[in-house]
Amino acid sequence: MAKLIKNGIIVTAADQYQADILIENGIITQIGQSLMLEGAEIIDAEGRYVFPGGVDPHTHLDMPFGGTVTADDFETGTRAAAFGGTTTVIDFCLTNKGVPLSQSVQTWHAKAAGKAVIDYSFHLMIAEINDDVLAELPTMIHEEGITSLKVFMAYKNVFQADDGTLYRTLLEAKRHGALVMVHAENGDVIDYLIKEALEAGNTDPIYHALTRPSLIEGEATGRAAKLTELAESQLYVVHVTCEEAVAQIAEARNRGVDIWGETCPQYLVLDQSYLEKPHFEGAKYVWSPPLRPQFHQEALWTALKNGQLQTLGSDHCSFNFIGQKELGLGDFSKIPNGGPCIEDRFSILYSEGVTKGRITLNQFVDIVSTRSAKLFGLFPKKGTIAVGSDADIVIFDPAVTRILSVETHHMQVDYNPFEGLEVRGEPITVLSRGEYVIENKQFAGNPGAGQFMKRKTYPSASRTALPEKADIVDKGATHV
C-alpha cells in the first residue's frame, strides 16, 4: 500500500524543509508540497522531524568471543536498532586462518537469514594474506558485494594481524576498490601490559583501561595511516576514543591521505571512571578500546563538528553482566569485551549533539546515516531522503524527554550502559523500504524481512563522499 507522509520537517545531510513524501513499492517516488494520492495511507508527521533511517556501520551480532556468544542475535539486535532509529546495519563477519573466506561469509548469511528485521550487510575480517585469500578477494568484493575489509591491530593470538598483513590488505584494497578498516591499538604492547598487571595481582576491571592507554591507540592509528599513505590506499579507523588518535587522523588527512574516522556514543558520554564501579559492576563497561578520562570527550565532539571524525558506529557487542561478563571475575583479561549500544546511538547523538549545540541537524544526519551510506557503497539507496531512494525513514519527536534504562530498552541484555541518562527526542515511527518496523513506538516488523545489501566498491562510492545540495520544486519535485 502506498504511504504519504505529510506535515513533517524533512532533514537530510544537506537540507531542512517542510514537504510531503510519497512512498510506492518501498521507494520514495515524490517529494513536494500538498501531494495527494487516492488510496494512500496518510502518516501525519506534524511537529516532527523526518530523517533518513540511521546506518550503523559497526555491529557484532551473534558473535563468538571469549568462550561465549553475544546476547543479541540478528533478530533481537536489529529489532532494537529499529526502535532506536536505525534501518541498516553493517555487521562484522569474522574469519579464521585456513578457512575459506566464502565459508565464513556463508556462516554469517546463515546467522542473519530469517531473523533480521531491517536491511544489513557485512564487513569481512582479514586475518591473513596468502594465495588462497588473494584468490577469493575479487569474488568477495565484486560478486558478494562485501566491499570493506577489517584488520585487527590488537587482540594478540586471537584476531591480531601483523603489519605485513595490514599493508598487503591495503594494496589489495586499492587494486579491487575496497575500504580497509582497522581496530587501531598496539596489541603487542597491550599483551605485555596485561601480563605485567596480572603478575602484580591487579585483576579488577579498571585495569582493562589502564593496560590499554590512549598513547598506544594513537601510535597504532598513526602507523596505520602511514601504511595507507605508502600503499596509496584508503582507510577507515573504527571506534576512535581519544585525542591522540584524532590528531593522527587529522594530520594524515591534512597530508592528503584518504582516511576516515568513526567514534561511538559510549566514548562521547561515558568515561574511564565507570570501570571503577564496585562489586565488579565496572565489567559492564569493558570494551576495546576502553573508556578514556573525561577530557577526551571534548576532543571527540570537536572532531565530529569540524569533520576530522565523520561517522558514529555503535560497536554493539552485547554480553550479559550475569553469566557472561562474570567470566572475568578475578581476571579482567577474561571479561568479554563489548557493550550494548545499538538502540541508543541515534538518540544520544541527537540529544547530546544537536540539542546541546555541538553539531547541527544536518551534521547529525550526515554522521548518523549519510556518511556511512556513502563510504560503504549504499548511497543513495540508503542514507538520504530523495526520489528513487529506499523509503527508510524515521519520524522523530524532538520534544520528548526520556530516561534510558534496561527497564525500557529492547536489547536482549541485562543492563544498559547509559542507565539513567536523560535524552531529548525519540523515534516514533520507523519505515524500512516503506514498511512499518516501528509504528507509534510499537514493533510492527517481521523477522526475515531485512535484506542483505550488496554494496558498491569504494571508488564508485567515494565519488559521492561530499555532501550534495538537493533541489526541490513544488508539486512532486525530485531530489538529485
Side-chain angles (χ1 to χ4, degrees), residues 1-6 20-25 27 29-30 34-42:
M1 182 180 184
K3 294 181 176 68
L4 190 55
I5 300 174
K6 299 186 72 69
D20 302 336
I21 302 171
L22 180 61
I23 300 165
E24 298 175 282
N25 299 315
I27 303 296
T29 57
Q30 293 187 59
S34 304
L35 296 182
M36 294 298 293
L37 180 67
E38 186 175 351
E41 178 185 356
I42 304 298

Side-chain angles (χ1 to χ4, degrees), residues 140-213:
M140 295 295 103
I141 294 166
H142 300 293
E143 296 181 24
E144 289 284 342
I146 300 175
T147 57
S148 44
L149 309 173
K150 170 75 172 290
V151 178
F152 286 88
M153 301 174 75
Y155 298 115
K156 189 174 179 66
N157 301 319
V158 182
F159 297 142
Q160 184 177 335
D162 59 27
D163 287 353
T165 297
L166 173 57
Y167 182 65
R168 292 187 67 189
T169 301
L170 287 161
L171 292 173
E172 290 302 309
K174 177 68 173 178
R175 180 182 175 192
H176 293 293
L179 180 58
V180 177
M181 314 171 77
V182 289
H183 175 134
E185 291 184 287
N186 190 316
D188 292 328
V189 175
I190 290 169
D191 185 62
Y192 175 82
L193 293 175
I194 288 173
K195 290 176 180 176
E196 186 179 54
L198 293 175
E199 287 172 1
N202 298 319
T203 62
D204 292 338
I206 185 60
Y207 288 95
H208 173 77
L210 298 179
T211 56
R212 306 178 91 101

Side-chain angles (χ1 to χ4, degrees), residues 358-410:
R358 290 166 162 146
I359 57 174
T360 67
L361 261 177
N362 301 115
Q363 285 179 311
F364 163 77
V365 173
D366 196 36
I367 293 165
V368 85
S369 178
T370 309
R371 185 65 51 156
S372 292
K374 289 180 174 181
L375 289 175
F376 294 107
L378 291 167
F379 186 86
K381 192 174 183 67
K382 308 293 187 185
T384 193
I385 294 176
V387 169
S389 297
D390 283 355
D392 293 355
I393 290 173
V394 176
I395 298 175
F396 186 88
D397 187 347
V400 172
T401 299
R402 59 198 177 96
I403 303 295
L404 301 183
S405 174
V406 66
E407 299 298 327
T408 53
H409 77 203
H410 302 88

Side-chain angles (χ1 to χ4, degrees), residues 47-61:
R48 291 168 177 174
Y49 290 127
V50 181
F51 293 132
V55 177
D56 189 340
H58 190 160
T59 67
H60 301 280
L61 302 173

Side-chain angles (χ1 to χ4, degrees), residues 56 59 61 74 78 87-94 101-102 104-124 139-149 376-378 381-382 390 392 432-433 446-456:
D56 189 340
T59 67
L61 302 173
F74 274 85
T78 58
T87 55
T88 305
V89 298
I90 313 180
D91 201 72
F92 282 96
C93 171
L94 298 184
L101 299 179
S102 58
S104 297
V105 169
Q106 288 309 308
T107 297
W108 247 253
H109 276 301
K111 289 174 182 287
K115 291 186 176 182
V117 306
I118 57 175
D119 292 346
Y120 60 94
S121 190
F122 303 142
H123 307 295
L124 185 63
T139 299
M140 295 295 103
I141 294 166
H142 300 293
E143 296 181 24
E144 289 284 342
I146 300 175
T147 57
S148 44
L149 309 173
F376 294 107
L378 291 167
K381 192 174 183 67
K382 308 293 187 185
D390 283 355
D392 293 355
S432 173
R433 285 178 281 104
N446 294 295
Q451 296 180 0
F452 176 75
M453 305 301 299
K454 292 186 176 182
R455 296 181 280 118
K456 293 180 288 188

Side-chain angles (χ1 to χ4, degrees), residues 209-224:
L210 298 179
T211 56
R212 306 178 91 101
S214 59
L215 278 174
I216 59 175
E217 182 184 340
E219 181 276 329
T221 302
R223 180 158 37 102

Side-chain angles (χ1 to χ4, degrees), residues 95-101 103-104 127-128 130 132-133 136:
T95 61
N96 294 296
K97 291 181 179 180
V99 176
L101 299 179
Q103 183 175 324
S104 297
E128 59 182 346
N130 54 35
D132 291 337
V133 171
E136 280 199 277

